Amino acid sequence: MAKIQKRYVCQSCGSVSHRWQGQCADCSAWNTLVEEAAASATPFAAKHNLQGGGRMILMSGLDAEVALPERMTTGIAEFDRALGGGFVEASATLIGGDPGIGKSTLLLQAAARMAMQGKTVAYVSGEEAADQVRLRARRLGLGGAPVQLASATSTRDILTTLSAGTPPDLLIIDSIQTMHSDLIEGAPGTVSQVRASSQELIRFAKERGTALVLVGHVTKDGSIAGPRVLEHMVDTVLAFEGERSHQYRILRAIKNRFGGTDEIGVFSMQTEGLAEVGNPSALFLTQRDEGVTGATVFPALEGTRPVLVEIQALVVRLASGATPRRAVVGWDSGRLAMILAVLEARCGLSFSTAEVYLNIAGGYRVQDPAADLAVAAALISALSERPVPADSVAFGEVALSGEVRPVAHGPLRLKEAGKLGFERAMVPIAMAKDDGPLRLSGFRTLGQFVDHMMGRG
Ligand code: TYD
Ligand code: MG
């Protein structure tokens, strides 16, 4: 008989080792090796002939009848939009975001709306005491909503309680990092605990038809709860983004097994909770005064996700012959010097006796070369004191020759700008082919761009 070997499989990366170790040798995750059933002692021939001995599986065509999943709308249109039409029953949704961004507020509001529509909603907070949540609900004017509220962190307690009665239509777990499964060792928030607790909750949701929402705090490197374990386990991942010091929040689908990932929901954080921003152009356009010079909006990409950022420039003419300062926040100072040099050498603009300040608003750091044209627009606008039209964005790479070069993901940038209410875009000529949602102006050289900005031809 073949000797039965023990094998340990890393639950994070799948690598196999023959002895247990605290840390996976391949992906360096801790406590992820789990003993799995050893290979059974199958006779050699059977092991190498897989064309028999299994069960028949049902195969059918792509055109077979498909039952669309039931959707439960939250009653918050922007939330529903990001979800692709509402929560799907027997599914798991993860909502990630920085602490304090407003995840609990948004979910409490959604929970209350759904409860008032007659759905059964359970809200389990592991972070706040039930009374804290209650007080917040009252402040938001939602104190009367029939939400079932509890403060708990043990998944066993939660599932025991919920299994005793009719399972809720919606179950909110705030947050998954505070949950604890007694099936495995480890403190709440560790990768293995987050994975185990999620697995138990997701299994419950799938078996009992509940729509499960897990709240996840984002770690410093931007991933949710460690090595993205959760993102693989759930059906939908939403990111709740924004600057804590600013009012606006964007809810964005990153993954959606039941819908598209190109939808966003826009909110503004008010003293009475999150308000929907139905017309997101308000987000940038009303905040930006028509007459301000030296500011352009640039559709940047973070990974493959578009983010609109404002680029601001200030040009101060110096009377004396002192060496002018150049200061940059959020962009590369070498790149600014290059754009200034091209504007001087190829377009006849003079910055040599002026101080130049460049700032990327909102604390963003932009590294994308596509920002060149937007930076040039801000500089030209600041120098000429002519505002860049408030409903336009700009992107394109500028070469030392003065050519404006095409950049990656043009359609994605244009689409995002269109969704947020912008109407015009200034782009490299090669990308100005087909008008999508925006009116496009294409430029072959920076010289042409300067003429356009200055209103010359
Ligand atoms: P919260 O929902 O607790 O964030 P998270 O769950 O993502 O950690 O939101 C906390 C912030 O929102 C807090 O700084 C206060 C602010 N806030 C408002 O401005 N208005 C409100 O009505 C509420 C409830 C919170
Ligand atoms: Mg919270």
Side-chain angles (χ1 to χ4, degrees), residues 336-373:
L336 171 65
M338 192 200 95
I339 300 289
L340 288 173
V342 176
L343 284 170
E344 297 226 354
R346 309 275 178 195
C347 314
L349 299 184
S350 171
F351 290 92
S352 55
T353 57
E355 300 199 322
V356 176
Y357 299 91
L358 189 81
N359 177 40
I360 310 290
Y364 277 106
R365 263 209 77 79
V366 173
Q367 272 159 347
D368 191 348
D372 291 355
L373 199 65

PDB file of all heavy atoms in Angstrom, residues 336-373:
ATOM      1  N   LEU A 336       7.832  69.157 -13.793  1.00  0.00           N
ATOM      2  CA  LEU A 336       7.358  70.542 -13.907  1.00  0.00           C
ATOM      3  C   LEU A 336       8.393  71.376 -14.650  1.00  0.00           C
ATOM      4  O   LEU A 336       8.053  72.153 -15.552  1.00  0.00           O
ATOM      5  CB  LEU A 336       7.109  71.154 -12.517  1.00  0.00           C
ATOM      6  CG  LEU A 336       6.817  72.656 -12.536  1.00  0.00           C
ATOM      7  CD1 LEU A 336       5.505  72.946 -13.249  1.00  0.00           C
ATOM      8  CD2 LEU A 336       6.783  73.238 -11.132  1.00  0.00           C
ATOM      9  N   ALA A 337       9.689  71.198 -14.300  1.00  0.00           N
ATOM     10  CA  ALA A 337      10.747  71.952 -14.972  1.00  0.00           C
ATOM     11  C   ALA A 337      10.715  71.654 -16.463  1.00  0.00           C
ATOM     12  O   ALA A 337      10.887  72.557 -17.296  1.00  0.00           O
ATOM     13  CB  ALA A 337      12.097  71.573 -14.369  1.00  0.00           C
ATOM     14  N   MET A 338      10.431  70.387 -16.811  1.00  0.00           N
ATOM     15  CA  MET A 338      10.386  70.007 -18.217  1.00  0.00           C
ATOM     16  C   MET A 338       9.235  70.697 -18.957  1.00  0.00           C
ATOM     17  O   MET A 338       9.419  71.248 -20.041  1.00  0.00           O
ATOM     18  CB  MET A 338      10.244  68.493 -18.308  1.00  0.00           C
ATOM     19  CG  MET A 338      10.476  67.958 -19.695  1.00  0.00           C
ATOM     20  SD  MET A 338       9.735  66.324 -19.858  1.00  0.00           S
ATOM     21  CE  MET A 338       8.172  66.755 -20.562  1.00  0.00           C
ATOM     22  N   ILE A 339       8.065  70.692 -18.344  1.00  0.00           N
ATOM     23  CA  ILE A 339       6.915  71.338 -19.000  1.00  0.00           C
ATOM     24  C   ILE A 339       7.172  72.836 -19.166  1.00  0.00           C
ATOM     25  O   ILE A 339       6.881  73.416 -20.209  1.00  0.00           O
ATOM     26  CB  ILE A 339       5.615  71.115 -18.172  1.00  0.00           C
ATOM     27  CG1 ILE A 339       5.316  69.624 -18.027  1.00  0.00           C
ATOM     28  CG2 ILE A 339       4.429  71.841 -18.797  1.00  0.00           C
ATOM     29  CD1 ILE A 339       4.860  68.943 -19.289  1.00  0.00           C
ATOM     30  N   LEU A 340       7.771  73.445 -18.122  1.00  0.00           N
ATOM     31  CA  LEU A 340       8.084  74.879 -18.219  1.00  0.00           C
ATOM     32  C   LEU A 340       9.069  75.123 -19.346  1.00  0.00           C
ATOM     33  O   LEU A 340       8.923  76.070 -20.132  1.00  0.00           O
ATOM     34  CB  LEU A 340       8.669  75.371 -16.887  1.00  0.00           C
ATOM     35  CG  LEU A 340       7.674  75.471 -15.727  1.00  0.00           C
ATOM     36  CD1 LEU A 340       8.396  75.801 -14.427  1.00  0.00           C
ATOM     37  CD2 LEU A 340       6.611  76.526 -16.019  1.00  0.00           C
ATOM     38  N   ALA A 341      10.074  74.238 -19.475  1.00  0.00           N
ATOM     39  CA  ALA A 341      11.082  74.399 -20.523  1.00  0.00           C
ATOM     40  C   ALA A 341      10.442  74.278 -21.904  1.00  0.00           C
ATOM     41  O   ALA A 341      10.749  75.057 -22.816  1.00  0.00           O
ATOM     42  CB  ALA A 341      12.183  73.356 -20.342  1.00  0.00           C
ATOM     43  N   VAL A 342       9.532  73.303 -22.050  1.00  0.00           N
ATOM     44  CA  VAL A 342       8.882  73.137 -23.355  1.00  0.00           C
ATOM     45  C   VAL A 342       8.002  74.350 -23.662  1.00  0.00           C
ATOM     46  O   VAL A 342       7.977  74.851 -24.790  1.00  0.00           O
ATOM     47  CB  VAL A 342       8.060  71.817 -23.400  1.00  0.00           C
ATOM     48  CG1 VAL A 342       7.309  71.693 -24.723  1.00  0.00           C
ATOM     49  CG2 VAL A 342       8.970  70.618 -23.211  1.00  0.00           C
ATOM     50  N   LEU A 343       7.316  74.865 -22.645  1.00  0.00           N
ATOM     51  CA  LEU A 343       6.473  76.052 -22.865  1.00  0.00           C
ATOM     52  C   LEU A 343       7.322  77.257 -23.273  1.00  0.00           C
ATOM     53  O   LEU A 343       6.909  78.079 -24.090  1.00  0.00           O
ATOM     54  CB  LEU A 343       5.663  76.375 -21.598  1.00  0.00           C
ATOM     55  CG  LEU A 343       4.459  75.468 -21.316  1.00  0.00           C
ATOM     56  CD1 LEU A 343       3.888  75.741 -19.926  1.00  0.00           C
ATOM     57  CD2 LEU A 343       3.372  75.659 -22.366  1.00  0.00           C
ATOM     58  N   GLU A 344       8.526  77.342 -22.698  1.00  0.00           N
ATOM     59  CA  GLU A 344       9.413  78.463 -23.048  1.00  0.00           C
ATOM     60  C   GLU A 344      10.014  78.272 -24.440  1.00  0.00           C
ATOM     61  O   GLU A 344       9.946  79.146 -25.289  1.00  0.00           O
ATOM     62  CB  GLU A 344      10.559  78.561 -22.030  1.00  0.00           C
ATOM     63  CG  GLU A 344      10.070  78.864 -20.627  1.00  0.00           C
ATOM     64  CD  GLU A 344      10.866  79.965 -19.941  1.00  0.00           C
ATOM     65  OE1 GLU A 344      11.873  80.430 -20.498  1.00  0.00           O
ATOM     66  OE2 GLU A 344      10.465  80.360 -18.832  1.00  0.00           O
ATOM     67  N   ALA A 345      10.613  77.078 -24.661  1.00  0.00           N
ATOM     68  CA  ALA A 345      11.392  76.859 -25.881  1.00  0.00           C
ATOM     69  C   ALA A 345      10.516  76.665 -27.114  1.00  0.00           C
ATOM     70  O   ALA A 345      10.887  77.084 -28.199  1.00  0.00           O
ATOM     71  CB  ALA A 345      12.306  75.646 -25.693  1.00  0.00           C
ATOM     72  N   ARG A 346       9.379  76.018 -26.958  1.00  0.00           N
ATOM     73  CA  ARG A 346       8.582  75.675 -28.146  1.00  0.00           C
ATOM     74  C   ARG A 346       7.372  76.581 -28.334  1.00  0.00           C
ATOM     75  O   ARG A 346       6.775  76.597 -29.385  1.00  0.00           O
ATOM     76  CB  ARG A 346       8.062  74.224 -28.045  1.00  0.00           C
ATOM     77  CG  ARG A 346       9.115  73.200 -27.723  1.00  0.00           C
ATOM     78  CD  ARG A 346       9.819  72.732 -28.970  1.00  0.00           C
ATOM     79  NE  ARG A 346      10.865  71.785 -28.621  1.00  0.00           N
ATOM     80  CZ  ARG A 346      11.838  71.433 -29.457  1.00  0.00           C
ATOM     81  NH1 ARG A 346      11.883  71.936 -30.680  1.00  0.00           N
ATOM     82  NH2 ARG A 346      12.754  70.576 -29.076  1.00  0.00           N
ATOM     83  N   CYS A 347       6.939  77.251 -27.259  1.00  0.00           N
ATOM     84  CA  CYS A 347       5.678  77.996 -27.381  1.00  0.00           C
ATOM     85  C   CYS A 347       5.860  79.486 -27.107  1.00  0.00           C
ATOM     86  O   CYS A 347       4.888  80.241 -27.108  1.00  0.00           O
ATOM     87  CB  CYS A 347       4.633  77.436 -26.424  1.00  0.00           C
ATOM     88  SG  CYS A 347       4.528  75.650 -26.455  1.00  0.00           S
ATOM     89  N   GLY A 348       7.091  79.880 -26.798  1.00  0.00           N
ATOM     90  CA  GLY A 348       7.360  81.298 -26.615  1.00  0.00           C
ATOM     91  C   GLY A 348       6.777  81.922 -25.354  1.00  0.00           C
ATOM     92  O   GLY A 348       6.678  83.137 -25.264  1.00  0.00           O
ATOM     93  N   LEU A 349       6.394  81.106 -24.377  1.00  0.00           N
ATOM     94  CA  LEU A 349       5.914  81.695 -23.118  1.00  0.00           C
ATOM     95  C   LEU A 349       7.121  81.894 -22.208  1.00  0.00           C
ATOM     96  O   LEU A 349       8.072  81.128 -22.267  1.00  0.00           O
ATOM     97  CB  LEU A 349       4.904  80.777 -22.431  1.00  0.00           C
ATOM     98  CG  LEU A 349       3.625  80.464 -23.196  1.00  0.00           C
ATOM     99  CD1 LEU A 349       2.699  79.626 -22.326  1.00  0.00           C
ATOM    100  CD2 LEU A 349       2.927  81.753 -23.618  1.00  0.00           C
ATOM    101  N   SER A 350       7.067  82.897 -21.341  1.00  0.00           N
ATOM    102  CA  SER A 350       8.212  83.121 -20.475  1.00  0.00           C
ATOM    103  C   SER A 350       7.839  83.006 -19.000  1.00  0.00           C
ATOM    104  O   SER A 350       6.969  83.715 -18.509  1.00  0.00           O
ATOM    105  CB  SER A 350       8.812  84.498 -20.740  1.00  0.00           C
ATOM    106  OG  SER A 350       9.770  84.763 -19.744  1.00  0.00           O
ATOM    107  N   PHE A 351       8.500  82.066 -18.344  1.00  0.00           N
ATOM    108  CA  PHE A 351       8.301  81.886 -16.904  1.00  0.00           C
ATOM    109  C   PHE A 351       9.576  82.254 -16.147  1.00  0.00           C
ATOM    110  O   PHE A 351       9.639  82.103 -14.938  1.00  0.00           O
ATOM    111  CB  PHE A 351       7.965  80.415 -16.597  1.00  0.00           C
ATOM    112  CG  PHE A 351       6.604  79.995 -17.083  1.00  0.00           C
ATOM    113  CD1 PHE A 351       6.446  79.437 -18.341  1.00  0.00           C
ATOM    114  CD2 PHE A 351       5.492  80.144 -16.274  1.00  0.00           C
ATOM    115  CE1 PHE A 351       5.198  79.037 -18.782  1.00  0.00           C
ATOM    116  CE2 PHE A 351       4.242  79.736 -16.718  1.00  0.00           C
ATOM    117  CZ  PHE A 351       4.088  79.191 -17.975  1.00  0.00           C
ATOM    118  N   SER A 352      10.614  82.696 -16.876  1.00  0.00           N
ATOM    119  CA  SER A 352      11.938  82.793 -16.249  1.00  0.00           C
ATOM    120  C   SER A 352      12.006  83.848 -15.154  1.00  0.00           C
ATOM    121  O   SER A 352      12.812  83.743 -14.249  1.00  0.00           O
ATOM    122  CB  SER A 352      12.998  83.041 -17.317  1.00  0.00           C
ATOM    123  OG  SER A 352      12.616  84.182 -18.056  1.00  0.00           O
ATOM    124  N   THR A 353      11.128  84.847 -15.202  1.00  0.00           N
ATOM    125  CA  THR A 353      11.183  85.855 -14.150  1.00  0.00           C
ATOM    126  C   THR A 353       9.996  85.705 -13.195  1.00  0.00           C
ATOM    127  O   THR A 353       9.617  86.649 -12.520  1.00  0.00           O
ATOM    128  CB  THR A 353      11.146  87.267 -14.755  1.00  0.00           C
ATOM    129  OG1 THR A 353       9.941  87.364 -15.544  1.00  0.00           O
ATOM    130  CG2 THR A 353      12.346  87.518 -15.637  1.00  0.00           C
ATOM    131  N   ALA A 354       9.419  84.500 -13.177  1.00  0.00           N
ATOM    132  CA  ALA A 354       8.230  84.324 -12.326  1.00  0.00           C
ATOM    133  C   ALA A 354       8.414  83.128 -11.399  1.00  0.00           C
ATOM    134  O   ALA A 354       9.075  82.151 -11.751  1.00  0.00           O
ATOM    135  CB  ALA A 354       7.003  84.116 -13.206  1.00  0.00           C
ATOM    136  N   GLU A 355       7.851  83.237 -10.219  1.00  0.00           N
ATOM    137  CA  GLU A 355       7.799  82.083  -9.332  1.00  0.00           C
ATOM    138  C   GLU A 355       6.646  81.205  -9.784  1.00  0.00           C
ATOM    139  O   GLU A 355       5.603  81.710 -10.189  1.00  0.00           O
ATOM    140  CB  GLU A 355       7.562  82.526  -7.891  1.00  0.00           C
ATOM    141  CG  GLU A 355       8.654  83.436  -7.371  1.00  0.00           C
ATOM    142  CD  GLU A 355       8.679  83.512  -5.862  1.00  0.00           C
ATOM    143  OE1 GLU A 355       7.581  83.519  -5.267  1.00  0.00           O
ATOM    144  OE2 GLU A 355       9.780  83.562  -5.297  1.00  0.00           O
ATOM    145  N   VAL A 356       6.849  79.875  -9.725  1.00  0.00           N
ATOM    146  CA  VAL A 356       5.797  78.961 -10.163  1.00  0.00           C
ATOM    147  C   VAL A 356       5.486  77.984  -9.035  1.00  0.00           C
ATOM    148  O   VAL A 356       6.391  77.341  -8.493  1.00  0.00           O
ATOM    149  CB  VAL A 356       6.221  78.177 -11.424  1.00  0.00           C
ATOM    150  CG1 VAL A 356       5.144  77.171 -11.805  1.00  0.00           C
ATOM    151  CG2 VAL A 356       6.494  79.122 -12.577  1.00  0.00           C
ATOM    152  N   TYR A 357       4.214  77.888  -8.669  1.00  0.00           N
ATOM    153  CA  TYR A 357       3.772  76.939  -7.659  1.00  0.00           C
ATOM    154  C   TYR A 357       2.780  75.986  -8.306  1.00  0.00           C
ATOM    155  O   TYR A 357       1.903  76.424  -9.055  1.00  0.00           O
ATOM    156  CB  TYR A 357       3.105  77.663  -6.484  1.00  0.00           C
ATOM    157  CG  TYR A 357       4.046  78.623  -5.804  1.00  0.00           C
ATOM    158  CD1 TYR A 357       4.124  79.955  -6.217  1.00  0.00           C
ATOM    159  CD2 TYR A 357       4.873  78.188  -4.775  1.00  0.00           C
ATOM    160  CE1 TYR A 357       5.002  80.835  -5.625  1.00  0.00           C
ATOM    161  CE2 TYR A 357       5.762  79.072  -4.169  1.00  0.00           C
ATOM    162  CZ  TYR A 357       5.822  80.393  -4.596  1.00  0.00           C
ATOM    163  OH  TYR A 357       6.705  81.252  -3.997  1.00  0.00           O
ATOM    164  N   LEU A 358       2.931  74.698  -8.015  1.00  0.00           N
ATOM    165  CA  LEU A 358       2.012  73.721  -8.584  1.00  0.00           C
ATOM    166  C   LEU A 358       1.511  72.826  -7.458  1.00  0.00           C
ATOM    167  O   LEU A 358       2.304  72.354  -6.639  1.00  0.00           O
ATOM    168  CB  LEU A 358       2.724  72.868  -9.642  1.00  0.00           C
ATOM    169  CG  LEU A 358       1.783  71.971 -10.443  1.00  0.00           C
ATOM    170  CD1 LEU A 358       1.108  72.765 -11.547  1.00  0.00           C
ATOM    171  CD2 LEU A 358       2.535  70.804 -11.043  1.00  0.00           C
ATOM    172  N   ASN A 359       0.222  72.612  -7.422  1.00  0.00           N
ATOM    173  CA  ASN A 359      -0.345  71.803  -6.338  1.00  0.00           C
ATOM    174  C   ASN A 359      -1.405  70.866  -6.896  1.00  0.00           C
ATOM    175  O   ASN A 359      -2.222  71.260  -7.723  1.00  0.00           O
ATOM    176  CB  ASN A 359      -0.988  72.753  -5.304  1.00  0.00           C
ATOM    177  CG  ASN A 359      -1.664  71.995  -4.178  1.00  0.00           C
ATOM    178  OD1 ASN A 359      -1.149  70.978  -3.701  1.00  0.00           O
ATOM    179  ND2 ASN A 359      -2.827  72.458  -3.757  1.00  0.00           N
ATOM    180  N   ILE A 360      -1.366  69.607  -6.456  1.00  0.00           N
ATOM    181  CA  ILE A 360      -2.442  68.678  -6.785  1.00  0.00           C
ATOM    182  C   ILE A 360      -3.390  68.716  -5.590  1.00  0.00           C
ATOM    183  O   ILE A 360      -2.995  68.375  -4.473  1.00  0.00           O
ATOM    184  CB  ILE A 360      -1.923  67.229  -6.986  1.00  0.00           C
ATOM    185  CG1 ILE A 360      -0.723  67.180  -7.939  1.00  0.00           C
ATOM    186  CG2 ILE A 360      -3.056  66.326  -7.449  1.00  0.00           C
ATOM    187  CD1 ILE A 360      -0.993  67.462  -9.376  1.00  0.00           C
ATOM    188  N   ALA A 361      -4.631  69.134  -5.822  1.00  0.00           N
ATOM    189  CA  ALA A 361      -5.570  69.322  -4.711  1.00  0.00           C
ATOM    190  C   ALA A 361      -5.958  67.994  -4.082  1.00  0.00           C
ATOM    191  O   ALA A 361      -5.851  66.938  -4.709  1.00  0.00           O
ATOM    192  CB  ALA A 361      -6.810  70.047  -5.218  1.00  0.00           C
ATOM    193  N   GLY A 362      -6.392  68.064  -2.841  1.00  0.00           N
ATOM    194  CA  GLY A 362      -6.930  66.884  -2.160  1.00  0.00           C
ATOM    195  C   GLY A 362      -5.877  65.919  -1.670  1.00  0.00           C
ATOM    196  O   GLY A 362      -6.196  64.802  -1.279  1.00  0.00           O
ATOM    197  N   GLY A 363      -4.610  66.314  -1.703  1.00  0.00           N
ATOM    198  CA  GLY A 363      -3.568  65.444  -1.161  1.00  0.00           C
ATOM    199  C   GLY A 363      -3.179  64.289  -2.064  1.00  0.00           C
ATOM    200  O   GLY A 363      -2.485  63.382  -1.627  1.00  0.00           O
ATOM    201  N   TYR A 364      -3.616  64.306  -3.315  1.00  0.00           N
ATOM    202  CA  TYR A 364      -3.227  63.221  -4.216  1.00  0.00           C
ATOM    203  C   TYR A 364      -1.796  63.385  -4.672  1.00  0.00           C
ATOM    204  O   TYR A 364      -1.266  64.486  -4.728  1.00  0.00           O
ATOM    205  CB  TYR A 364      -4.125  63.214  -5.457  1.00  0.00           C
ATOM    206  CG  TYR A 364      -5.425  62.506  -5.229  1.00  0.00           C
ATOM    207  CD1 TYR A 364      -6.602  63.217  -5.085  1.00  0.00           C
ATOM    208  CD2 TYR A 364      -5.464  61.116  -5.146  1.00  0.00           C
ATOM    209  CE1 TYR A 364      -7.796  62.570  -4.859  1.00  0.00           C
ATOM    210  CE2 TYR A 364      -6.652  60.464  -4.928  1.00  0.00           C
ATOM    211  CZ  TYR A 364      -7.819  61.192  -4.780  1.00  0.00           C
ATOM    212  OH  TYR A 364      -8.981  60.554  -4.561  1.00  0.00           O
ATOM    213  N   ARG A 365      -1.177  62.260  -5.005  1.00  0.00           N
ATOM    214  CA  ARG A 365       0.128  62.289  -5.679  1.00  0.00           C
ATOM    215  C   ARG A 365      -0.097  61.735  -7.073  1.00  0.00           C
ATOM    216  O   ARG A 365      -0.567  60.618  -7.235  1.00  0.00           O
ATOM    217  CB  ARG A 365       1.123  61.366  -4.967  1.00  0.00           C
ATOM    218  CG  ARG A 365       2.027  62.049  -3.996  1.00  0.00           C
ATOM    219  CD  ARG A 365       3.359  61.321  -3.876  1.00  0.00           C
ATOM    220  NE  ARG A 365       4.207  61.605  -5.030  1.00  0.00           N
ATOM    221  CZ  ARG A 365       4.907  62.711  -5.190  1.00  0.00           C
ATOM    222  NH1 ARG A 365       4.867  63.646  -4.271  1.00  0.00           N
ATOM    223  NH2 ARG A 365       5.638  62.898  -6.273  1.00  0.00           N
ATOM    224  N   VAL A 366       0.234  62.508  -8.063  1.00  0.00           N
ATOM    225  CA  VAL A 366       0.027  62.060  -9.444  1.00  0.00           C
ATOM    226  C   VAL A 366       1.373  61.685 -10.042  1.00  0.00           C
ATOM    227  O   VAL A 366       2.340  62.444  -9.928  1.00  0.00           O
ATOM    228  CB  VAL A 366      -0.649  63.168 -10.276  1.00  0.00           C
ATOM    229  CG1 VAL A 366      -0.708  62.779 -11.744  1.00  0.00           C
ATOM    230  CG2 VAL A 366      -2.039  63.441  -9.750  1.00  0.00           C
ATOM    231  N   GLN A 367       1.433  60.480 -10.661  1.00  0.00           N
ATOM    232  CA  GLN A 367       2.666  60.074 -11.317  1.00  0.00           C
ATOM    233  C   GLN A 367       2.474  59.820 -12.805  1.00  0.00           C
ATOM    234  O   GLN A 367       3.433  59.701 -13.544  1.00  0.00           O
ATOM    235  CB  GLN A 367       3.210  58.810 -10.641  1.00  0.00           C
ATOM    236  CG  GLN A 367       4.103  59.189  -9.483  1.00  0.00           C
ATOM    237  CD  GLN A 367       4.281  58.102  -8.478  1.00  0.00           C
ATOM    238  OE1 GLN A 367       3.564  57.107  -8.487  1.00  0.00           O
ATOM    239  NE2 GLN A 367       5.246  58.281  -7.606  1.00  0.00           N
ATOM    240  N   ASP A 368       1.222  59.761 -13.192  1.00  0.00           N
ATOM    241  CA  ASP A 368       0.817  59.480 -14.549  1.00  0.00           C
ATOM    242  C   ASP A 368       1.322  60.568 -15.514  1.00  0.00           C
ATOM    243  O   ASP A 368       1.029  61.738 -15.313  1.00  0.00           O
ATOM    244  CB  ASP A 368      -0.728  59.493 -14.471  1.00  0.00           C
ATOM    245  CG  ASP A 368      -1.404  58.969 -15.693  1.00  0.00           C
ATOM    246  OD1 ASP A 368      -0.714  58.800 -16.694  1.00  0.00           O
ATOM    247  OD2 ASP A 368      -2.624  58.746 -15.620  1.00  0.00           O
ATOM    248  N   PRO A 369       2.079  60.205 -16.571  1.00  0.00           N
ATOM    249  CA  PRO A 369       2.550  61.236 -17.511  1.00  0.00           C
ATOM    250  C   PRO A 369       1.405  61.928 -18.257  1.00  0.00           C
ATOM    251  O   PRO A 369       1.596  62.997 -18.832  1.00  0.00           O
ATOM    252  CB  PRO A 369       3.445  60.464 -18.481  1.00  0.00           C
ATOM    253  CG  PRO A 369       3.127  59.033 -18.283  1.00  0.00           C
ATOM    254  CD  PRO A 369       2.577  58.874 -16.907  1.00  0.00           C
ATOM    255  N   ALA A 370       0.225  61.307 -18.216  1.00  0.00           N
ATOM    256  CA  ALA A 370      -0.932  61.913 -18.883  1.00  0.00           C
ATOM    257  C   ALA A 370      -1.294  63.258 -18.261  1.00  0.00           C
ATOM    258  O   ALA A 370      -2.054  64.028 -18.839  1.00  0.00           O
ATOM    259  CB  ALA A 370      -2.127  60.971 -18.810  1.00  0.00           C
ATOM    260  N   ALA A 371      -0.744  63.559 -17.088  1.00  0.00           N
ATOM    261  CA  ALA A 371      -1.062  64.824 -16.421  1.00  0.00           C
ATOM    262  C   ALA A 371      -0.376  66.008 -17.097  1.00  0.00           C
ATOM    263  O   ALA A 371      -0.744  67.158 -16.850  1.00  0.00           O
ATOM    264  CB  ALA A 371      -0.657  64.762 -14.949  1.00  0.00           C
ATOM    265  N   ASP A 372       0.612  65.741 -17.965  1.00  0.00           N
ATOM    266  CA  ASP A 372       1.383  66.830 -18.574  1.00  0.00           C
ATOM    267  C   ASP A 372       0.502  67.937 -19.156  1.00  0.00           C
ATOM    268  O   ASP A 372       0.715  69.118 -18.904  1.00  0.00           O
ATOM    269  CB  ASP A 372       2.274  66.287 -19.702  1.00  0.00           C
ATOM    270  CG  ASP A 372       3.413  65.409 -19.179  1.00  0.00           C
ATOM    271  OD1 ASP A 372       3.558  65.312 -17.948  1.00  0.00           O
ATOM    272  OD2 ASP A 372       4.133  64.831 -20.013  1.00  0.00           O
ATOM    273  N   LEU A 373      -0.480  67.523 -19.951  1.00  0.00           N
ATOM    274  CA  LEU A 373      -1.291  68.527 -20.653  1.00  0.00           C
ATOM    275  C   LEU A 373      -2.147  69.325 -19.658  1.00  0.00           C
ATOM    276  O   LEU A 373      -2.340  70.530 -19.824  1.00  0.00           O
ATOM    277  CB  LEU A 373      -2.182  67.852 -21.706  1.00  0.00           C
ATOM    278  CG  LEU A 373      -2.716  68.800 -22.778  1.00  0.00           C
ATOM    279  CD1 LEU A 373      -1.590  69.363 -23.633  1.00  0.00           C
ATOM    280  CD2 LEU A 373      -3.742  68.104 -23.659  1.00  0.00           C
TER     281      LEU A 373
END
